Amino acid sequence: MRSAQQILAEANVIAVVGASRDSFKPAHTVPLQMLRHGWRIIPVNPFADEVFGIKAFPTLADIGEPVDLVDIFRPSRDAVEIVRQAIAIKAPAVWLQSGIVSAQARRLAEEAGIDYVEDRCLAVERAVGSLTKLS
């Protein structure tokens, strides 16, 4: 299994499940920071047509193109179903944001051979590793 730093360094396209239009929520500010540092963000939110001016999709299956990482901004109880969806689209990694943990989601990801990170913030890990996709 790759480390959190390796996952971020190797990812280019991040699907953000639960991306928010509310600029005061971490589900908005964290993916926006990743976008500003050069990652391609695909918002997944069934209640929004777009987030950050980018077309949003209702589910991971609706994206229709490969993603390198599925970032989850949903309650822990939703993580198992989202990990199942990530497995179905053959995402190589799943990341549960700070405060989100699920032993069952972890087990599913590990059984499917998917890298798994939980209870960690993408933006913090990006900053700690001084990671960027900008040249």
Side-chain angles (χ1 to χ4, degrees), residues 16-67:
V16 181
V17 179
S20 177
R21 293 173 287 186
D22 183 339
S23 62
F24 294 102
K25 289 186 173 182
H28 180 90
T29 59
V30 169
L32 184 58
Q33 183 183 139
M34 302 305 288
L35 184 65
R36 288 179 174 159
H37 282 275
W39 279 266
R40 182 160 168 244
I41 299 296
I42 300 175
V44 179
N45 182 329
F47 306 107
D49 293 329
E50 65 177 40
V51 181
F52 324 115
I54 301 169
K55 176 180 171 48
F57 294 88
T59 69
L60 289 172
D62 293 315
I63 294 173
E65 67 178 274
V67 300

Side-chain angles (χ1 to χ4, degrees), residues 15-131:
V16 181
V17 179
S20 177
R21 293 173 287 186
D22 183 339
S23 62
F24 294 102
K25 289 186 173 182
H28 180 90
T29 59
V30 169
L32 184 58
Q33 183 183 139
M34 302 305 288
L35 184 65
R36 288 179 174 159
H37 282 275
W39 279 266
R40 182 160 168 244
I41 299 296
I42 300 175
V44 179
N45 182 329
F47 306 107
D49 293 329
E50 65 177 40
V51 181
F52 324 115
I54 301 169
K55 176 180 171 48
F57 294 88
T59 69
L60 289 172
D62 293 315
I63 294 173
E65 67 178 274
V67 300
D68 301 313
L69 173 60
V70 173
D71 183 33
I72 301 175
F73 274 101
R74 297 292 305 143
S76 295
R77 67 181 175 274
D78 296 345
V80 172
E81 179 54 33
I82 297 166
V83 169
R84 284 189 179 115
Q85 293 174 25
I87 293 167
I89 67 163
K90 299 182 177 9
V94 176
W95 189 300
L96 282 61
Q97 281 295 137
S98 297
I100 307 170
V101 295
S102 172
Q104 187 178 357
R106 175 182 289 277
R107 205 168 25 258
L108 282 172
E110 288 173 350
E111 288 171 1
I114 292 175
D115 291 319
Y116 183 89
V117 176
E118 68 181 10
D119 195 22
R120 308 238 328 244
C121 178
L122 278 182
V124 169
E125 293 297 324
R126 187 216 60 76
V128 166
S130 299
L131 299 171

